[in-house]
Amino acid sequence: MFSSFSSFSNPFRLPRFFSSGNTTAINVQPVEVHDVEIKHDKHARTLKHLLRLNHVNNAIIYHDLEFHNHTAHILGSAYLFNAESEHLNNIYNEESKEQEPWKDSPGEVSTYDWRDYLGDSRYQRAYVDFFEDELVLNGYDWRKVLTTYFFAGKEPLINNLISGLGHPLIQLGYAYELSSRDIAMEALGMAATSYNHLHKYLDDPSYTKPTSNPSKSPLELLCRLQKDSRFDNVVSDAGPENLTPLFEDHETLMLEYWNAWQITDPTNDFRASQMAAVALLVATVQPGSGAKYDFFLVHTLTTSHAVRILLPLLPAKYHIPLVRQWWLLTISVYIAQLRPEILLSSVGGFHLKGRGWEWVDKRAVEGKNSLDAHFVKGLRAMKAAKATWGDEEGFYLKAAVRFGEEFDGWAFGKNSVEGAARQ
């Protein structure tokens, strides 16, 4: 089902954190960078202005410190879909209705104690201020600041990007793709304030161990997980509130599936994971059922897209751990959302009726859901997967058109408030 790599032009090269010839590298082309800081066309200037407004005025976490600010995500995605300036302004105005202004933190953060407040969202303002002070001290070289703080110490932030439902990971991807220092500082702030227990599975090698029934296919493992009766009574209602108890009460089962994905051909195995991410969103909804797409499963796709953006920048030794972070998030969310059946035929048998990627592009910026951040990000991730791997059998196009045509709002867990759309 997988076709060969496609090539595409890349006039702006992303600098790598380090260079490495390690055979564990996942070899994907760096994406084109849209440096909105230096572009002079109208919609690039509009994007730069709106990103700055959001950075100055709006907190990165809001609604009782539960939801994440997605303004940069949808603005960036719409811009990459060639949205006009007017639409970018409409997006910002819509997003601003939900955002909240910055609030003072209980105290400041310094180079001596910056790790002391990790995981405490009340310090979001202090962390962003701290990282911006570091930006000044480093001559506004935001890439250097990211390198310093994401890789610092024995338990580096890079090993906990999936905290907060993967939002630090997504934010970091947009920072590089748009070459935005504002988004970069926000990504550091999100990583610091979302920091949680999941880091230990990457920091402590004792959690990685062989399993009795490994597989090279994440889709095969997800289908196996869907049928595994041991999970039948683990959760009763879908929702993100299940994520922490899964690790507290069922860690051994979780790690069994985490370790079961055998990555021996890193590039092709990552390719398989991107297909699995698309399938988790689109192929878990029965065609014609009227069911809504799962809000939390879309995060497994948008985080996979962020991984794809970052891989060419990272030293090879971090490639597989980053992909395994994504896998840990993916199986957690899949179980938390009651393990819906994945029906690949619902994508493979979908009729395009002459529609192509131009239709998808138009749907993203002109359709009735063009102001929904997760809808637009989902379409963007599928299009980027097609650009990375090619689409000989039309899987990514069929998934994108079906999603674009059928989407009519999100399904949330029984106990999740509708406002979770802003998480």
Side-chain angles (χ1 to χ4, degrees):
M1 173 163 271
F2 301 120
S3 54
S4 60
F5 287 94
S6 62
S7 60
F8 52 94
S9 61
N10 185 28
F12 301 99
R13 290 284 175 168
L14 287 168
R16 295 175 183 269
F17 287 120
F18 303 98
S19 60
S20 175
N22 196 308
T23 56
T24 61
I26 296 173
N27 296 309
V28 290
Q29 294 276 352
V31 299
E32 180 181 350
V33 176
H34 301 261
D35 193 340
V36 297
E37 297 290 336
I38 63 174
K39 285 193 171 186
H40 300 295
D41 56 280
K42 183 178 179 181
H43 78 307
R45 295 198 313 271
T46 301
L47 177 62
K48 177 183 176 181
H49 170 69
L50 296 175
L51 291 175
R52 187 63 184 166
L53 273 180
N54 180 58
H55 182 74
V56 170
N57 294 325
N58 299 325
I60 55 176
I61 310 171
Y62 66 104
H63 193 274
D64 297 325
L65 303 177
E66 294 175 333
F67 300 164
H68 292 81
N69 184 333
H70 295 88
T71 305
H73 306 175
I74 184 171
L75 284 172
S77 293
Y79 172 83
L80 294 169
F81 271 122
N82 252 340
E84 297 292 338
S85 294
E86 181 180 0
H87 184 58
L88 295 177
N89 281 312
N90 289 339
I91 288 171
Y92 185 81
N93 291 335
E94 185 67 21
E95 286 291 311
S96 295
K97 295 175 183 177
E98 296 288 338
Q99 302 305 320
E100 295 177 3
W102 289 103
K103 295 178 182 177
D104 289 338
S105 298
E108 295 183 347
V109 171
S110 72
T111 53
Y112 303 104
D113 63 5
W114 72 274
R115 294 191 67 94
D116 292 352
Y117 308 103
L118 291 178
D120 191 338
S121 297
R122 298 175 303 158
Y123 282 83
Q124 58 171 319
R125 176 76 266 183
Y127 269 115
V128 172
D129 285 345
F130 167 67
F131 292 128
E132 292 196 322
D133 288 343
E134 292 297 293
L135 184 65
V136 174
L137 294 174
N138 284 277
Y140 291 93
D141 186 345
W142 57 269
R143 295 174 180 85
K144 183 177 180 181
V145 176
L146 290 186
T147 302
T148 299
Y149 286 97
F150 273 117
F151 292 95
K154 294 181 180 180
E155 297 180 343
L157 293 183
I158 192 70
N159 282 344
N160 197 216
L161 292 180
I162 59 169
S163 61
L165 207 58
H167 287 102
L169 176 58
I170 297 168
Q171 196 83 6
L172 186 60
Y174 280 101
Y176 274 95
E177 197 166 11
L178 298 173
S179 192
S180 169
R181 71 188 187 198
D182 288 339
I183 302 178
M185 297 303 100
E186 292 161 6
L188 274 169
M190 284 187 183
T193 54
S194 300
Y195 196 78
N196 65 15
H197 67 283
L198 294 176
H199 76 89
K200 70 181 182 181
Y201 299 111
L202 278 299
D203 288 329
D204 186 346
S206 69
Y207 288 103
T208 296
K209 58 191 70 174
T211 59
S212 59
N213 195 12
S215 172
K216 286 178 56 62
S217 168
L219 266 176
E220 178 187 324
L221 287 169
L222 289 169
C223 291
R224 185 191 302 172
L225 179 55
Q226 194 271 329
K227 296 180 174 73
D228 193 333
S229 60
R230 293 176 296 172
F231 287 96
D232 287 351
N233 298 312
V234 167
V235 294
S236 56
D237 297 313
E241 61 277 0
N242 295 320
L243 293 173
T244 297
L246 279 176
F247 287 94
E248 291 178 345
D249 302 330
H250 307 281
E251 182 183 73
T252 301
L253 268 178
M254 299 292 294
L255 296 185
E256 177 185 325
Y257 276 90
W258 184 53
N259 285 310
W261 185 21
Q262 191 174 49
I263 302 176
T264 57
D265 183 359
T267 301
N268 280 320
D269 293 342
F270 175 59
R271 180 194 296 197
S273 76
Q274 291 228 280
M275 181 185 175
V278 174
L280 269 176
L281 173 62
V282 183
T284 50
V285 175
Q286 288 272 11
S289 65
K292 295 183 183 295
Y293 287 92
D294 191 291
F295 172 75
F296 297 102
L297 289 180
V298 75
H299 288 78
T300 67
L301 174 58
T302 52
T303 50
S304 177
H305 171 65
V307 171
R308 183 266 172 271
I309 298 299
L310 295 175
L311 284 174
L313 312 175
L314 296 170
K317 69 176 183 177
Y318 288 102
H319 286 196
I320 291 177
L322 183 60
V323 174
R324 294 189 76 229
Q325 274 193 74
W326 170 83
W327 180 234
L328 187 62
L329 175 68
T330 296
I331 59 175
S332 305
V333 172
Y334 185 57
I335 296 167
Q337 295 307 101
L338 305 182
R339 297 148 41 230
E341 186 177 6
I342 302 169
L343 299 170
L344 289 179
S345 60
S346 69
V347 176
F350 181 79
H351 296 295
L352 291 170
K353 299 177 183 177
R355 292 167 292 185
W357 287 107
E358 289 184 4
W359 183 92
V360 174
D361 293 355
K362 188 173 182 179
R363 202 76 166 181
V365 297
E366 297 180 16
K368 64 178 182 178
N369 298 299
S370 62
L371 298 179
D372 185 296
H374 294 84
F375 172 75
V376 179
K377 287 193 293 181
L379 289 178
R380 166 75 183 142
M382 287 184 253
K383 186 176 181 180
K386 175 263 179 188
T388 302
W389 310 111
D391 199 17
E392 186 176 330
E393 297 185 27
F395 176 79
Y396 294 116
L397 178 59
K398 289 179 179 180
V401 172
R402 185 186 165 207
F403 179 60
E405 178 181 68
E406 296 179 356
F407 180 81
D408 187 28
W410 296 103
F412 304 98
K414 181 178 179 181
N415 299 317
S416 301
V417 296
E418 188 171 350
R422 299 294 174 180
Q423 280 199 10

